[in-house]
Amino acid sequence: MSVPQRSSDATSLDSSLEVLLEALKTGENGNEKEGLPGKRQWKKELDLGIDYLINAANRAGLKCRRKVFDICFYNSTAESDHLLCNSNTAEGCARCCIPTPTVCCDLHNPQDFSSFSFMQSKPPAQLQCSRLPKYTCERSDYNLHKALQDWCEDKTAAIFGWAALNDLGPSLLMTNALLDRIIDCAHHHKIHTTQDLRKETSWTDSEKYGEEVVAIIRQHAAPLPSPFNTIPLRSGMGLLTAANTPMPSCTYTIHHVSKHV
């Protein structure tokens, strides 16, 4: 009588599962020696069961995630008592009987897991804000600071109510650091539009209230410096003296050159 030969896939599957079983037993025995029976300690190394679960598709001969669950949670050694519950039928108790799953895992039945797949879009890269040098505050900077503070108080009271303004202050809408950043950028003329405000401050409410803030900046910020250099004129007396001074006469001498043949 010939003994049927097992396929190479089944042999490699058993070898992979045996390696996983031995590794799990070794881990449990190591914990028992340290006085922690049946408990796993936190390690820097990745747990072998998790490694097999994540890389089941790359494990030669495994190619199944359900097998990893069966071994790690001892599902293969579980015994059903549905025959003891109802001995009148050969199938036993229909309620206690453990049915065979129709879907194995995402590796064997990928079509049944298509609804769980998703494509996470990468958020757009945030624009880098400008690096501003140190400066000395001018009168326009103080005026802008006062105007923005008044606007923050009025807007906070209008949106959240006077109680929120009294308890939390105008920082509920715009923090002090954000307010200082706007003044610094306005001093160096970095904010002209709502997009500039969003880029320089990363303010989450710039789309809602950016136009109002930009209007306040245009009203109180210092004007742009002129690109032309101005040279002070001389006094009127100096101009008259220079205008009345006669120009020196020039004498030209014409030399005739005779041509010799």
Side-chain angles (χ1 to χ4, degrees), residues 3 8 21 25 30 32 37 62 69 75 77 102 117 135 154 168 184 186 207 213 221-222 225 230 244 249:
V3 179
S8 59
L21 280 172
K25 290 180 180 179
E32 290 177 359
L62 186 59
F69 278 103
N75 293 341
T77 60
T102 57
S117 61
Y135 66 96
D154 297 340
L168 303 176
D184 296 341
E207 298 296 334
V213 175
T230 58
N244 297 331
S249 59

Side-chain angles (χ1 to χ4, degrees), residues 126-239:
Q126 188 175 2
L127 298 177
Q128 295 292 333
C129 60
S130 303
R131 301 184 64 179
L132 305 177
K134 295 182 179 180
Y135 66 96
T136 302
C137 291
E138 301 175 356
R139 181 179 296 274
S140 58
D141 300 324
Y142 293 111
N143 295 337
L144 178 60
H145 187 275
K146 180 65 169 58
L148 287 176
Q149 274 191 332
D150 295 341
W151 177 84
C152 286
E153 292 179 0
D154 297 340
K155 187 62 68 173
T156 302
I159 298 174
F160 304 103
W162 287 102
L165 177 62
N166 187 30
D167 296 339
L168 303 176
S171 297
L172 186 62
L173 180 64
M174 181 181 292
T175 62
N176 295 333
L178 179 59
L179 181 63
D180 295 339
R181 175 66 183 178
I182 293 176
I183 296 173
D184 296 341
C185 293
H187 179 87
H188 294 283
H189 306 284
K190 296 294 184 180
I191 298 178
H192 304 283
T193 61
T194 306
Q195 289 75 16
D196 296 338
L197 180 64
R198 175 77 176 186
K199 170 190 171 184
E200 298 294 344
T201 62
S202 300
W203 187 28
T204 55
D205 292 331
S206 59
E207 298 296 334
K208 295 181 181 179
Y209 315 112
E211 292 294 340
E212 301 180 29
V213 175
V214 171
I216 296 175
I217 293 175
R218 292 174 181 172
Q219 182 179 359
H220 295 87
L224 287 171
S226 176
F228 304 101
N229 295 326
T230 58
I231 301 176
L233 298 176
R234 291 181 294 178
S235 61
M237 184 61 68
L239 291 176

Side-chain angles (χ1 to χ4, degrees), residues 63-78:
K63 306 290 184 180
C64 181
R65 301 191 199 275
R66 181 173 290 275
K67 292 294 183 181
V68 181
F69 278 103
D70 291 341
I71 293 176
C72 293
F73 294 98
Y74 306 102
N75 293 341
S76 57
T77 60

Side-chain angles (χ1 to χ4, degrees), residues 96-110:
C96 300
C97 180
I98 301 176
T100 303
T102 57
V103 178
C104 180
C105 63
D106 61 319
L107 298 179
H108 286 100
N109 307 100

